Amino acid sequence: MRCLVLSDIHANLAALEAVLKDAKRRRLSYDMVWCLGDVVGYGPDPNACIELLRTVPHVCLAGNHDWAVLGKLELTAFHENAMVVALWTREQLTAENLNYLRARSARELQERYLLAHASPREPIWEYILDTSVAAENFEHLPDGYALVGHTHVPVIFAQDRASGDVRASVPPLGIPIALDSGFRYILNPGGVGQPRDGDPRAAYALLDTEKHTWTQYRAEYPVHLTQAKMRAAGFPDTLIDRLSYGR
Ligand code: ZN
């Protein structure tokens, strides 16, 4: 199976549309979209993003922002800016879309891949930002493969099955990386709607579960369109500005 792996759309419709268009332009064929959560929060188009995602065959997890909007997390655990938009989002979402989010789980197994929003052991909150946290999480993988989001930074953590050593690497764009059976992997496609690696382009990846390859892509999108909607909705400036820098 070929899966388009997306995460952290964050209600950024222009970015989500650009990713689907970019995949089409590159003639990437895929059977499913696997979305790793945080469909909403931060951005101005929560309903439209859920509705666009639902037009394609997909699996979607819940992330911490989705839970915050649903009231499943204490908003006090959030930065004030994120809290403001979570409350706004709660008011905007249709009953049907709220039900859709409510039905998502934070972690699920698809084939040999454990999908988790944040980390295999703490699917809602834990950031896997370095090899030591990755190493602890490799102990929670049934078959040695996980897909995570949450950090909004594309990265591959690979653990040598023999030595236990863990390495992190940033995947090159457009070049399939062969997933070696001698390693365990935690793969993060980066963020669609609010990238944080200094590249403002929307990030996504293609996973081929038969050929066992992972390919990273970036798609440019009209950032100013999303920013104009955020401004019109009265969102905090820092959330608007960061999209220009990918931070
Ligand atoms: Zn997120």
Tab-separated table of all heavy atoms in Angstrom, residues 152 154 173 191-192 194-203 217-221 242-247:
chain	number	residue	atom	x	y	z
A	152	HIS	N	6.229	19.093	14.240
A	152	HIS	CA	6.173	19.869	12.995
A	152	HIS	C	7.550	19.952	12.312
A	152	HIS	O	7.812	20.890	11.574
A	152	HIS	CB	5.638	21.294	13.229
A	152	HIS	CG	4.321	21.382	13.944
A	152	HIS	ND1	3.572	22.538	13.969
A	152	HIS	CD2	3.596	20.473	14.643
A	152	HIS	CE1	2.461	22.334	14.672
A	152	HIS	NE2	2.459	21.096	15.091
A	154	PRO	N	10.280	17.540	10.034
A	154	PRO	CA	10.523	16.240	9.399
A	154	PRO	C	11.818	15.612	9.918
A	154	PRO	O	12.853	16.277	9.966
A	154	PRO	CB	10.687	16.584	7.905
A	154	PRO	CG	10.263	18.001	7.751
A	154	PRO	CD	10.417	18.652	9.088
A	173	LEU	N	14.763	15.808	0.054
A	173	LEU	CA	13.454	15.944	-0.600
A	173	LEU	C	13.393	15.134	-1.886
A	173	LEU	O	14.316	15.173	-2.707
A	173	LEU	CB	13.164	17.417	-0.900
A	173	LEU	CG	13.072	18.333	0.323
A	173	LEU	CD1	12.735	19.762	-0.104
A	173	LEU	CD2	12.034	17.822	1.323
A	191	GLY	N	5.157	19.143	9.511
A	191	GLY	CA	3.821	19.714	9.618
A	191	GLY	C	3.316	20.282	8.299
A	191	GLY	O	4.067	20.925	7.566
A	192	VAL	N	2.037	20.035	8.025
A	192	VAL	CA	1.411	20.629	6.836
A	192	VAL	C	1.147	22.119	7.084
A	192	VAL	O	1.558	22.981	6.303
A	192	VAL	CB	0.086	19.908	6.493
A	192	VAL	CG1	-0.692	20.657	5.410
A	192	VAL	CG2	0.349	18.474	6.063
A	194	GLN	N	1.766	24.269	9.825
A	194	GLN	CA	2.579	25.206	10.608
A	194	GLN	C	3.986	24.604	10.779
A	194	GLN	O	4.374	24.203	11.863
A	194	GLN	CB	1.955	25.468	11.986
A	194	GLN	CG	2.552	26.641	12.722
A	194	GLN	CD	2.317	26.510	14.220
A	194	GLN	OE1	2.933	25.694	14.890
A	194	GLN	NE2	1.418	27.333	14.740
A	195	PRO	N	4.749	24.543	9.671
A	195	PRO	CA	6.098	23.947	9.754
A	195	PRO	C	6.975	24.717	10.741
A	195	PRO	O	6.799	25.924	10.914
A	195	PRO	CB	6.635	24.097	8.326
A	195	PRO	CG	5.433	24.298	7.462
A	195	PRO	CD	4.431	25.006	8.315
A	196	ARG	N	7.894	23.985	11.413
A	196	ARG	CA	8.745	24.631	12.428
A	196	ARG	C	10.223	24.352	12.214
A	196	ARG	O	11.016	24.453	13.149
A	196	ARG	CB	8.348	24.152	13.822
A	196	ARG	CG	6.973	24.649	14.255
A	196	ARG	CD	6.635	24.196	15.655
A	196	ARG	NE	5.244	24.496	15.969
A	196	ARG	CZ	4.567	23.921	16.941
A	196	ARG	NH1	5.153	23.021	17.701
A	196	ARG	NH2	3.313	24.252	17.164
A	197	ASP	N	10.604	23.967	11.009
A	197	ASP	CA	12.028	23.678	10.777
A	197	ASP	C	12.703	24.787	9.983
A	197	ASP	O	13.787	24.600	9.437
A	197	ASP	CB	12.189	22.326	10.056
A	197	ASP	CG	11.496	22.306	8.702
A	197	ASP	OD1	10.633	23.184	8.449
A	197	ASP	OD2	11.804	21.419	7.881
A	198	GLY	N	12.058	25.942	9.930
A	198	GLY	CA	12.658	27.073	9.223
A	198	GLY	C	12.318	27.121	7.746
A	198	GLY	O	12.739	28.032	7.038
A	199	ASP	N	11.563	26.155	7.281
A	199	ASP	CA	11.111	26.127	5.884
A	199	ASP	C	9.586	26.291	5.912
A	199	ASP	O	8.886	25.423	6.438
A	199	ASP	CB	11.502	24.785	5.259
A	199	ASP	CG	11.112	24.675	3.790
A	199	ASP	OD1	10.247	25.460	3.328
A	199	ASP	OD2	11.661	23.793	3.099
A	200	PRO	N	9.071	27.417	5.399
A	200	PRO	CA	7.626	27.663	5.515
A	200	PRO	C	6.751	26.765	4.641
A	200	PRO	O	5.534	26.734	4.800
A	200	PRO	CB	7.480	29.135	5.104
A	200	PRO	CG	8.697	29.454	4.315
A	200	PRO	CD	9.795	28.540	4.792
A	201	ARG	N	7.356	26.012	3.734
A	201	ARG	CA	6.541	25.163	2.855
A	201	ARG	C	5.897	24.009	3.629
A	201	ARG	O	6.491	23.469	4.559
A	201	ARG	CB	7.411	24.595	1.731
A	201	ARG	CG	7.926	25.667	0.768
A	201	ARG	CD	8.854	25.059	-0.270
A	201	ARG	NE	10.057	24.482	0.331
A	201	ARG	CZ	10.956	23.764	-0.333
A	201	ARG	NH1	10.788	23.524	-1.630
A	201	ARG	NH2	12.018	23.294	0.276
A	202	ALA	N	4.700	23.623	3.196
A	202	ALA	CA	3.999	22.502	3.826
A	202	ALA	C	4.794	21.212	3.628
A	202	ALA	O	5.314	20.956	2.540
A	202	ALA	CB	2.609	22.351	3.208
A	203	ALA	N	4.892	20.415	4.687
A	203	ALA	CA	5.673	19.172	4.625
A	203	ALA	C	4.745	17.962	4.598
A	203	ALA	O	3.694	17.965	5.248
A	203	ALA	CB	6.597	19.086	5.837
A	217	TYR	N	8.528	15.237	1.050
A	217	TYR	CA	8.243	16.300	0.067
A	217	TYR	C	7.918	17.604	0.780
A	217	TYR	O	7.523	17.601	1.951
A	217	TYR	CB	7.040	15.917	-0.804
A	217	TYR	CG	7.267	14.709	-1.679
A	217	TYR	CD1	6.794	13.459	-1.292
A	217	TYR	CD2	7.950	14.821	-2.884
A	217	TYR	CE1	7.007	12.337	-2.086
A	217	TYR	CE2	8.164	13.704	-3.686
A	217	TYR	CZ	7.688	12.475	-3.277
A	217	TYR	OH	7.902	11.376	-4.064
A	218	ARG	N	8.026	18.716	0.044
A	218	ARG	CA	7.538	20.021	0.511
A	218	ARG	C	6.703	20.638	-0.590
A	218	ARG	O	7.006	20.474	-1.779
A	218	ARG	CB	8.697	20.990	0.824
A	218	ARG	CG	9.667	20.535	1.887
A	218	ARG	CD	9.061	20.275	3.233
A	218	ARG	NE	8.752	21.409	4.059
A	218	ARG	CZ	9.347	21.671	5.223
A	218	ARG	NH1	10.345	20.926	5.661
A	218	ARG	NH2	8.951	22.696	5.975
A	219	ALA	N	5.663	21.344	-0.190
A	219	ALA	CA	4.796	22.019	-1.150
A	219	ALA	C	4.665	23.487	-0.766
A	219	ALA	O	4.318	23.810	0.369
A	219	ALA	CB	3.417	21.362	-1.156
A	220	GLU	N	4.942	24.353	-1.728
A	220	GLU	CA	4.748	25.783	-1.477
A	220	GLU	C	3.250	26.083	-1.461
A	220	GLU	O	2.492	25.456	-2.192
A	220	GLU	CB	5.399	26.575	-2.612
A	220	GLU	CG	6.463	27.519	-2.110
A	220	GLU	CD	7.241	28.119	-3.242
A	220	GLU	OE1	6.786	29.151	-3.746
A	220	GLU	OE2	8.279	27.533	-3.620
A	221	TYR	N	2.840	27.025	-0.639
A	221	TYR	CA	1.419	27.400	-0.640
A	221	TYR	C	1.316	28.910	-0.388
A	221	TYR	O	2.266	29.526	0.104
A	221	TYR	CB	0.643	26.586	0.407
A	221	TYR	CG	0.857	27.023	1.836
A	221	TYR	CD1	-0.031	27.906	2.449
A	221	TYR	CD2	1.943	26.568	2.583
A	221	TYR	CE1	0.150	28.313	3.771
A	221	TYR	CE2	2.136	26.975	3.894
A	221	TYR	CZ	1.245	27.847	4.482
A	221	TYR	OH	1.440	28.262	5.771
A	242	ARG	N	4.548	33.629	12.360
A	242	ARG	CA	5.428	32.449	12.322
A	242	ARG	C	5.271	31.638	11.040
A	242	ARG	O	6.194	30.938	10.632
A	242	ARG	CB	5.226	31.582	13.562
A	242	ARG	CG	3.889	30.862	13.627
A	242	ARG	CD	3.664	30.189	14.972
A	242	ARG	NE	4.683	29.186	15.274
A	242	ARG	CZ	4.723	28.486	16.415
A	242	ARG	NH1	3.816	28.693	17.346
A	242	ARG	NH2	5.648	27.586	16.614
A	243	LEU	N	4.103	31.736	10.403
A	243	LEU	CA	3.906	30.970	9.153
A	243	LEU	C	4.857	31.451	8.044
A	243	LEU	O	5.218	30.690	7.155
A	243	LEU	CB	2.456	31.086	8.676
A	243	LEU	CG	1.387	30.445	9.563
A	243	LEU	CD1	0.015	30.611	8.930
A	243	LEU	CD2	1.681	28.968	9.818
A	244	SER	N	5.233	32.735	8.098
A	244	SER	CA	6.151	33.289	7.082
A	244	SER	C	7.551	32.703	7.196
A	244	SER	O	8.276	32.634	6.215
A	244	SER	CB	6.292	34.806	7.234
A	244	SER	OG	5.048	35.430	7.122
A	245	TYR	N	7.912	32.320	8.425
A	245	TYR	CA	9.282	31.852	8.672
A	245	TYR	C	9.393	30.355	8.849
A	245	TYR	O	10.477	29.803	8.886
A	245	TYR	CB	9.839	32.552	9.926
A	245	TYR	CG	9.677	34.033	9.876
A	245	TYR	CD1	8.755	34.691	10.681
A	245	TYR	CD2	10.400	34.796	8.937
A	245	TYR	CE1	8.571	36.074	10.587
A	245	TYR	CE2	10.218	36.159	8.841
A	245	TYR	CZ	9.304	36.779	9.674
A	245	TYR	OH	9.117	38.124	9.576
A	246	GLY	N	8.268	29.684	9.019
A	246	GLY	CA	8.316	28.247	9.286
A	246	GLY	C	8.921	27.970	10.647
A	246	GLY	O	9.676	27.000	10.813
A	247	ARG	N	8.550	28.778	11.648
A	247	ARG	CA	9.036	28.552	13.026
A	247	ARG	C	7.874	28.543	14.006
A	247	ARG	O	6.896	29.221	13.776
A	247	ARG	CB	10.011	29.660	13.464
A	247	ARG	CG	11.318	29.610	12.745
A	247	ARG	CD	12.188	28.480	13.262
A	247	ARG	NE	13.457	28.459	12.518
A	247	ARG	CZ	14.240	27.370	12.410
A	247	ARG	NH1	13.883	26.234	12.953
A	247	ARG	NH2	15.364	27.423	11.729
